[in-house]
Amino acid sequence: QVQLVQSGAEVKKPGASVKVSCKASGYTFTSYAMHWVRQAPGQRLEWMGWINAGNGNTKYSQKFQGRVTITRDTSASTAYMELSSLRSEDTAVYYCARAGVYCSSTTCYTYHFDYWGQGTLVTVSS
Amino acid sequence: EIVLTQSPDFQSVTPKEKVTITCRASQSIGSSLHWYQQKPDQSPKLLIKYASQSISGVPSRFSGSGSGTDFTLTINSLEAEDAAAYYCHQSSSLPHSFGQGTKLEIK
């Protein structure tokens, strides 16, 4: 069965970076995309970016451009999300979510999020 | 950027009641609209994909409809276990976006 298992909770100081991992199992890792979504307390879900696990190409939300980096290690079937220059407003639960991917000759598209990780709470506090 | 607006934000309902949640997109997204259920302290769970396509394992009382800019999630004969927040999500264009959520309380 498909499982996405994320790393544990983190507490960081403002200005620091955090790297969250998402280990996938139960499917061919490189045949899908992995998205990252966060949810601040009492807020809506917020999309951060995605990686094509097959070719490593990434797309990021303009809101996080320059601060977020999504990578993957195909040998470990694991995706990573690193967020830098943390501030208190980045306190949130961070989720990875799997999506199917389709590529035309010019671009790639992803579908609905069919499996989600359990979430990782990142707390930014001085 | 496509903005999704859900209504209502909150609804208190009794078991066996029929519930309708709407999601309006700021521009046409075809049928690239998906619905998720999120219970307290849990991850979101996919309920409906592409506006109206059912998901294996999801009870048949959940259904979706719509296209373009207006979409609806319907829950027929509500059960106590349906107490949760419900979110719509568009995958038509980047950045992906979500509605603000609708919280259902069971009386």
Side-chain angles (χ1 to χ4, degrees):
Chain A
Q1 73 283 20
V2 174
Q3 279 195 303
L4 302 177
V5 178
Q6 299 182 220
S7 48
E10 303 262 14
V11 179
K12 296 292 182 181
K13 293 196 182 301
S17 296
V18 68
K19 190 171 186 177
V20 180
S21 67
C22 172
K23 182 170 178 57
S25 61
Y27 71 97
T28 302
F29 180 70
T30 51
S31 295
Y32 288 82
M34 196 72 77
H35 290 252
W36 288 87
V37 176
R38 77 178 187 180
Q39 188 171 36
Q43 301 298 310
R44 72 174 71 190
L45 298 162
E46 183 174 33
W47 181 79
M48 300 181 70
W50 71 279
I51 186 166
N52 182 330
N55 61 20
N57 287 348
T58 54
K59 292 283 187 183
Y60 301 123
S61 167
Q62 194 77 347
K63 176 176 179 177
F64 301 101
Q65 198 82 32
R67 285 208 303 144
V68 68
T69 305
I70 299 174
T71 57
R72 96 289 192 219
D73 178 347
T74 57
S75 66
S77 296
T78 300
Y80 302 91
M81 186 284 300
E82 184 170 20
L83 188 62
S84 62
S85 302
L86 290 169
R87 34 212 189 224
S88 59
E89 310 89 88
D90 293 318
T91 294
V93 176
Y94 290 76
Y95 295 101
C96 59
R98 189 187 84 159
V101 59
Y102 161 76
C103 293
S104 68
S105 57
T106 56
T107 193
C108 292
Y109 305 88
T110 67
Y111 306 140
H112 50 283
F113 303 160
D114 56 359
Y115 289 92
W116 295 65
Q118 84 276 18
T120 297
L121 174 62
V122 175
T123 303
V124 183
S125 173
S126 54
Chain B
E1 178 173 339
I2 295 172
V3 177
L4 298 179
T5 304
Q6 292 181 228
S7 63
D9 292 335
F10 175 86
Q11 192 168 4
S12 183
V13 293
T14 55
K16 298 187 179 180
E17 196 173 329
K18 177 181 176 180
V19 172
T20 299
I21 298 170
T22 65
C23 178
R24 175 162 288 177
S26 59
Q27 62 191 75
S28 179
I29 57 173
S31 61
S32 297
L33 190 285
H34 321 292
W35 291 97
Y36 303 85
Q37 175 193 66
Q38 186 179 31
K39 296 183 178 179
D41 298 320
Q42 292 187 19
S43 306
K45 171 189 171 185
L46 180 66
L47 287 180
I48 298 289
K49 64 180 180 180
Y50 292 100
S52 61
Q53 296 181 20
S54 59
I55 302 299
S56 175
V58 173
S60 58
R61 62 182 180 276
F62 292 94
S63 63
S65 64
S67 67
T69 60
D70 293 303
F71 302 86
T72 300
L73 173 69
T74 301
I75 311 173
N76 283 299
S77 193
L78 193 79
E79 297 191 7
E81 66 183 26
D82 299 334
Y86 293 83
Y87 294 91
C88 56
H89 156 229
Q90 69 82 19
S91 62
S92 174
S93 65
L94 296 182
H96 284 232
S97 51
F98 293 86
Q100 81 276 18
T102 295
K103 186 174 180 181
L104 282 188
E105 173 192 85
I106 310 299
K107 292 178 183 173

